[in-house]
Amino acid sequence: MTDEAVNAGLGKRNYPKKAGTLPFDVLSPKGQEWIDQRWDDAVQTMASETASNPMVTTAKDCLDKFKASRRSDMTPQMEVCFLSDHFPDLLQVDICRITGASPRMVSLHVNTRADQIRAWKAWKAKTLPTTKLVIFNPTLIDA
């Protein structure tokens, strides 16, 4: 939470005493009310932004069809990779809207996938070591 939100009484930030742990935020009833007042508008705005972009609509439909054809659930990473592979021009913010993953997680998955592809291409481009070809000829063996 920002200092402004804390000063406005929307919640507070708790700093754990244990080293290496992260702080976490707690919403006050006033903060929950603030979110409730804005939630429907935020959801509607996101839905309209998604629906107004034909590529996003197509990508969402394609992902939904693919998920329906599978026998197991897809992880968020699988969804992000699917969208990145099949719709390379899709913006990360749009991937967030389609999958519901946070921008940080989408960025992590997109970068991980790019690293995997780079490593695969580098491995594939490596030349094999040359070896000497030895042909077995049984007639040359002394009996």
Side-chain angles (χ1 to χ4, degrees):
M1 295 192 92
T2 64
D3 290 336
E4 294 83 17
V6 172
N7 293 336
L10 300 178
K12 68 178 188 173
R13 175 158 277 207
N14 291 312
Y15 293 94
K17 295 174 185 162
K18 187 176 178 183
T21 57
L22 300 173
F24 61 95
D25 299 329
V26 179
L27 294 175
S28 67
K30 184 178 177 180
Q32 292 173 10
E33 182 181 323
W34 185 90
I35 289 174
D36 286 341
Q37 291 171 353
R38 291 158 177 80
W39 187 262
D40 291 334
D41 288 338
V43 170
Q44 187 176 5
T45 300
M46 287 177 59
S48 67
E49 288 175 357
T50 300
S52 66
N53 186 334
M55 185 183 351
V56 174
T57 305
T58 303
K60 184 175 181 348
D61 292 343
C62 189
L63 177 62
D64 290 343
K65 287 177 185 173
F66 183 72
K67 285 168 59 173
S69 72
R70 293 178 48 88
R71 293 182 183 194
S72 60
D73 291 336
M74 291 178 72
T75 64
Q77 182 176 8
M78 294 167 127
E79 292 177 354
V80 170
C81 290
F82 176 87
L83 292 170
S84 297
D85 289 345
H86 291 85
F87 299 91
D89 296 333
L90 195 62
L91 300 176
Q92 288 188 18
V93 69
D94 293 327
I95 294 174
C96 293
R97 289 183 184 127
I98 293 169
T99 63
S102 70
R104 185 174 179 181
M105 291 311 296
V106 169
S107 178
L108 172 73
H109 297 322
V110 166
N111 290 333
T112 299
R113 181 70 178 138
D115 291 343
Q116 291 171 339
I117 291 170
R118 240 187 325 276
W120 168 250
K121 287 181 178 178
W123 181 83
K124 190 176 170 184
K126 282 182 15 187
T127 57
L128 294 175
T130 56
T131 58
K132 188 176 180 181
L133 180 63
V134 177
I135 300 175
F136 177 71
N137 188 344
T139 59
L140 298 177
I141 298 176
D142 293 330

